[in-house]
Amino acid sequence: MRRSMLFIPGNNPSMIQNSPFLGADSIILDLEDAVSLDEKDSARCLVRNALLSLDFNGCEKVVRINSISSGFGYDDIDAIARIKPDAFLIPKATEDDIEEIDSLISTIEREEGFKLGCIKLIPLIETAFGVEDVFNIIKSSKRIVAVLLGAEDLTADMGIKRTKEGEEIFYARSRIASVCAALKVDAIDTPFTDVNDFEGLRKDAEKAKLIGMSGKAAINPRQIDVINEVFSPSFDDINWAKRVIEAYEKAKMEGKGVFALDGKMVDAPILLRAKNIIEKAKAIGLIKG
Ligand SMILES: CC(=O)SCCNC(=O)CCNC(=O)[C@H](O)C(C)(C)COP(=O)(O)OP(=O)(O)OC[C@H]1O[C@@H](n2cnc3c(N)ncnc32)[C@H](O)[C@@H]1OP(=O)(O)O
Ligand SMILES: O=C([O-])CC(=O)C(=O)O
Ligand SMILES: [Mg+2]
């Protein structure tokens, strides 16, 4: 489950130390934009030591490396892949970068005796070209398990304003959600940058969920509860899903493929939606069995 993915600056030891107990599903230790140029080497060292020594309490451990073109990316991959993070987040991802990084990681996995393919990739889609090419980017490596939308860089690349309402990213969100559903990987929404506006955060997360995104990045621990709540099935959802499944079983015995529940039609796609809710609730531990 990747409902919430918390960014943590890779040069901040106290934030890193507390991170496993904040309730995020994934922790993204950042070596890219949250770290200034003169701290790139020390942050890499700190993140490496943290991954070696801290118990991450079951959180997914993701490291955002610097891009290959920045000159820091090769050192990031070499230092971090050898201690087996769960995944790398690849900024301003292109097909060429992903193919090259996939091959570099394969070499390290062989050298270190790791299972081939154990280190996953999450491309950060944050250029107009990346949005248009997202299908091919995901197809370029079997390691890809999710895609993250980076709206700050995307809107900068497009030369447009970033707003709280987010109309300017509706297309990018929708395209990423649709392609990710087609290729069966998670679609993770961009962070909401006003860390004191929880109503705004909730609305923004709900917008992303409505069009099919499965989780959202956070930049502050106080954002995690809201994000987890929005991307978990509610108790009403779960009760509805149970009733649909029960009613469907009964209807099937009576030889019916379609019937009405509370005045609304239920047929195969509605059953599928109900089953998806139950699966998600089980994965999160909201229901057992
Ligand atoms: C566009 C992009 O690239 S996004 C990705 C890169 N950006 C980042 O990683 C930013 C990460 N977030 C932060 O640095 C900070 O949360 C800021 C700058 C946004 C806000 O800072 P503040 O207003 O000082 O945060 P706040 O007052 O809520 O901090 C409360 C506590 O949470 C901690 N905290 C804040 N952010 C984080 C975080 N991302 N991870 C872990 N702990 C954090 C603080 O250290 C503080 O701890 P303390 O009480 O022990 O001192
Ligand atoms: O990774 C993210 O979600 C944030 C980011 O880099 C961006 O918006 O440019
Ligand atoms: Mg960015």
Side-chain angles (χ1 to χ4, degrees):
M1 290 299 300
R2 295 182 188 85
R3 293 165 303 172
S4 51
M5 302 186 77
L6 176 66
F7 270 101
I8 305 188
N11 57 351
N12 190 315
S14 64
M15 283 191 191
I16 296 175
Q17 189 150 20
N18 294 332
S19 65
F21 308 101
L22 300 171
D25 292 329
S26 305
I27 300 291
I28 304 172
L29 300 167
D30 189 15
L31 299 176
E32 199 220 15
D33 281 350
V35 176
S36 63
L37 286 179
D38 54 348
E39 288 199 53
K40 293 291 184 194
D41 294 336
S42 55
R44 186 187 305 122
C45 212
L46 177 64
V47 165
R48 190 183 143 83
N49 288 338
L51 287 170
L52 281 171
S53 59
L54 273 185
D55 174 0
F56 277 83
N57 196 27
C59 297
E60 183 183 42
K61 296 167 288 182
V62 181
V63 177
R64 176 160 78 170
I65 58 168
N66 291 283
S67 64
I68 292 290
S69 62
S70 71
F72 297 105
Y74 292 111
D75 286 344
D76 293 344
I77 293 167
D78 195 60
I80 307 294
R82 292 188 190 282
I83 50 170
K84 209 160 47 155
D86 293 317
F88 282 119
L89 178 62
I90 313 299
K92 300 171 192 78
T94 65
E95 284 173 70
D96 286 351
D97 284 354
I98 297 283
E99 280 168 14
E100 185 178 358
I101 291 167
D102 183 307
S103 145
L104 289 169
I105 296 174
S106 295
T107 304
I108 293 174
E109 284 173 340
R110 272 189 219 100
E111 287 171 2
E112 298 292 332
F114 300 160
K115 186 164 176 255
L116 199 64
C118 68
I119 300 173
K120 304 302 179 194
L121 293 179
I122 303 178
L124 185 43
I125 301 299
E126 49 181 352
T127 63
F129 193 87
V131 171
E132 293 309 321
D133 201 37
V134 63
F135 185 90
N136 296 322
I137 290 174
I138 298 174
K139 285 290 214 178
S140 65
S141 167
K142 289 202 164 58
R143 296 177 187 274
I144 293 174
V145 289
V147 162
L148 181 58
L149 167 64
E152 299 307 324
D153 269 302
L154 174 63
T155 47
D157 184 46
M158 293 176 71
I160 58 175
K161 252 203 203 154
R162 180 84 178 95
T163 70
K164 240 181 201 183
E165 295 70 32
E167 274 182 49
E168 70 284 3
I169 58 166
F170 178 73
Y171 169 71
R173 274 176 164 162
S174 303
R175 175 160 172 78
I176 288 173
S178 175
V179 170
C180 286
L183 297 178
K184 305 279 178 265
V185 302
D186 289 343
I188 312 298
D189 193 37
T190 192
F192 185 77
T193 54
D194 184 339
V195 295
N196 295 314
D197 179 1
F198 299 103
E199 246 342 277
L201 169 66
R202 181 178 293 277
K203 278 191 195 145
D204 195 50
E206 279 169 351
K207 251 180 217 169
K209 182 186 174 175
L210 191 71
I211 57 167
M213 302 202 101
S214 45
K216 187 170 180 67
I219 51 166
N220 186 281
R222 291 180 286 123
Q223 297 183 315
I224 293 170
D225 284 352
V226 172
I227 294 177
N228 283 349
E229 194 187 317
V230 170
F231 288 98
S232 301
S234 67
F235 284 101
D236 283 350
D237 291 340
I238 295 169
N239 284 336
W240 171 82
K242 282 182 177 167
R243 289 181 61 228
V244 166
I245 292 167
E246 273 168 29
Y248 202 90
E249 289 304 319
K250 189 161 168 266
K252 203 167 71 180
M253 305 246 265
E254 293 164 0
K256 293 183 210 156
V258 60
F259 61 96
L261 182 69
D262 304 334
K264 295 197 189 87
M265 183 189 76
V266 175
D267 65 354
I270 287 124
L271 177 70
L272 180 62
R273 191 174 312 135
K275 285 184 171 168
N276 286 342
I277 289 171
I278 297 296
E279 282 312 307
K280 201 163 191 183
K282 279 185 191 166
I284 298 166
L286 293 176
I287 52 176
K288 294 210 171 76

